[in-house]
Amino acid sequence: MISVPPTSRHRYAYRDALSKAAAQPFRMVPYFDPGVWGGDWMKTHFDLPDNGSNYAWSFDGVPEENSLLLDFGSCVVETPALNLVYMHPRELLGDRVHARFGKEFPIRFDMLDTMHGQNLSLQVHPLTEYIQSHFHMHYTQDESYYLLDAAGKDPCVYLGIKTGTKPEEMIDALQTAQNGGKPFPAEKFVNRIPVKKHDHVLIPAGTVHCSGADTMVLEISATPYIFTFKLWDWGRVDLDGKPRPIHLEHGAANIQWYRNTEWVHRNLVNAVAEVYTGENGTVVRTGLHELEFLDTFRFTTSSTLPVHRNGSVHMLNLVDGTRAVLRSKSDAFPPLELHYAETCIVPQAAGDYEISSPDGSEVKVILACVRN
């Protein structure tokens, strides 16, 4: 980071830079973390340095954790991305979204890499009323898994409760495993759903879930991400050699037992609906579930497709293809080039724009927004 002396000239330049960022697409500075279940997909695809372990997480769309680089010509300043949220929430989020969430950024993109790695912990997120009454948060972490890639013999996600499961039997088995007894037989109680590249699995709060080994997941979720109740961690220890915490009491209080095998397949796996098909490409709605406040759409084009605004900030990721370009329909901002698996934010103040393939090859872009 380059330090800039706190003169009034620099103060106004900094404010002006944030004001410009709030009116055009931008990327944040990504960072990558190892984890006990991590894989090697990101290390290969993003040309990351060897860290002696793996890379489990990528945070590339999380203003609470990522930073911005502001180029002033003679120097580059790194600043928390939250400063943009705090200083220009209406321009960034849109009036409708700001009225609901205030100075909070409600959408989160991150990546979970288990390619040649291990299963994530089996987990559940709190219901809205539970997170409000126990943790005083306004909304919960509804989420989804978009499969950037899947390999190996039988890649899967674990999702929802198997039909016929008796809640007390499953909780007893989890408690026994937590106390050092027989390992939890996950596939006896939890649906194991085969997945492939470009599948989209929806995970409203209260749904038992985790991604399995040999998957590369773009996780699209609401932002209160610190409330994950782990139910079972496959009997392993963390990178520090210590068992990871289990939150069985909180988790058991939030499991939605009616989300059984039939319900999961009917509501949560590839609930894709066509929005538009034309000579320039297609747009499909891929989720999220009606219980969740986010919506996601996938744009596929070898040419150019327009993107219309719905009063919400947009978050995008190029999920297939080498590069795509975002252009303003009114020249309101300079074009932004998005590369494979990169995330960007398009503020509401940026206005209407279009997604194009600069070389005529097919690209796929996933877009998330707050639904009307």
Side-chain angles (χ1 to χ4, degrees):
M1 181 183 297
I2 297 174
S3 177
V4 179
T7 65
S8 47
R9 177 171 60 87
H10 288 114
R11 181 172 69 249
Y12 290 127
Y14 176 78
R15 290 177 176 175
D16 182 58
L18 289 182
S19 178
K20 290 179 179 178
Q24 65 184 53
F26 61 87
R27 279 186 38 74
M28 294 178 288
V29 180
Y31 74 91
F32 305 87
D33 262 356
V36 65
W37 42 262
D40 57 15
W41 192 95
M42 292 190 296
K43 185 180 291 188
T44 300
H45 285 73
F46 298 143
D47 196 24
L48 301 178
D50 195 329
N51 61 354
S53 176
N54 58 54
Y55 290 95
W57 287 280
S58 167
F59 300 94
D60 190 14
V62 190
E64 293 84 357
E65 301 190 39
N66 290 124
S67 58
L68 295 171
L69 295 179
L70 304 178
D71 187 354
F72 293 98
S74 60
C75 66
V76 175
V77 174
E78 187 169 8
T79 187
L82 268 183
N83 287 355
L84 177 61
V85 181
Y86 292 151
M87 293 185 69
H88 297 281
R90 294 179 185 274
E91 297 93 327
L92 178 63
L93 302 178
D95 286 340
R96 177 176 65 81
V97 177
H98 176 259
R100 180 172 179 181
F101 295 98
K103 294 183 179 182
E104 291 186 22
F105 195 89
I107 310 172
R108 169 188 172 93
F109 277 19
D110 60 86
M111 294 184 185
L112 310 172
D113 182 357
T114 67
M115 200 68 75
H116 304 118
Q118 305 175 29
N119 299 337
L120 267 68
S121 60
L122 196 67
Q123 58 194 249
V124 66
H125 298 301
L127 302 172
T128 299
E129 58 267 29
Y130 194 90
I131 203 171
Q132 288 175 344
S133 62
H134 286 73
F135 301 104
H136 310 294
M137 299 288 292
H138 297 301
Y139 57 99
T140 190
Q141 187 178 344
D142 292 310
E143 65 183 23
S144 69
Y145 289 164
Y146 189 92
L147 274 296
L148 281 173
D149 208 348
K153 291 180 61 177
D154 193 17
C156 74
V157 298
Y158 291 83
L159 188 69
I161 305 301
K162 276 193 171 180
T163 299
T165 292
K166 297 178 180 179
E168 63 277 8
E169 185 180 349
M170 177 172 161
I171 297 303
D172 285 347
L174 285 166
Q175 191 65 66
T176 296
Q178 174 63 10
N179 292 339
K182 184 179 179 180
F184 178 67
E187 293 186 31
K188 177 181 178 180
F189 298 105
V190 182
N191 299 304
R192 190 180 190 277
I193 310 292
V195 292
K196 62 185 183 303
K197 186 174 182 176
H198 294 308
D199 281 351
H200 200 176
V201 176
L202 315 181
I203 311 171
T207 308
V208 174
H209 67 281
C210 75
S211 62
D214 291 326
T215 62
M216 182 62 207
V217 167
L218 173 64
E219 186 177 55
I220 302 172
S221 72
T223 48
Y225 59 96
I226 60 174
F227 297 99
T228 297
F229 301 144
K230 294 185 181 70
L231 303 172
W232 169 239
D233 202 32
W234 312 96
R236 63 194 170 199
V237 295
D238 210 343
L239 295 178
D240 60 4
K242 300 177 182 179
R244 298 205 297 171
I246 300 296
H247 318 94
L248 189 51
E249 183 177 350
H250 283 307
N254 285 276
I255 295 173
Q256 298 301 284
W257 300 98
Y258 73 89
R259 295 178 189 170
N260 60 17
T261 306
E262 292 78 21
W263 193 92
V264 163
H265 281 282
R266 186 169 60 250
N267 291 277
L268 303 184
V269 180
N270 290 327
V272 176
E274 183 180 289
V275 175
Y276 166 83
T277 297
E279 61 180 12
N280 288 342
T282 62
V283 181
V284 296
R285 181 178 181 272
T286 68
L288 275 60
H289 190 263
E290 62 182 10
L291 297 174
E292 307 175 76
F293 65 75
L294 298 180
D295 237 338
T296 57
F297 300 87
R298 186 175 62 221
F299 290 70
T300 302
T301 185
S302 300
S303 178
T304 298
L305 283 176
V307 182
H308 302 291
R309 306 311 297 257
N310 68 331
S312 168
V313 61
H314 289 176
M315 186 171 277
L316 284 70
N317 186 283
L318 180 59
V319 295
D320 210 355
T322 304
R323 58 196 178 109
V325 176
L326 308 185
R327 286 190 173 87
S328 169
K329 298 185 73 173
S330 60
D331 294 323
F333 57 79
L336 181 139
E337 188 169 280
L338 195 62
H339 299 97
Y340 178 55
E342 288 183 345
T343 294
C344 77
I345 292 173
V346 185
Q348 171 63 23
D352 289 342
Y353 61 99
E354 54 191 23
I355 298 170
S356 67
S357 170
D359 58 9
S361 61
E362 184 177 272
V363 298
K364 295 180 185 291
V365 175
I366 197 82
L367 180 156
C369 58
V370 177
R371 70 175 59 184
N372 289 325

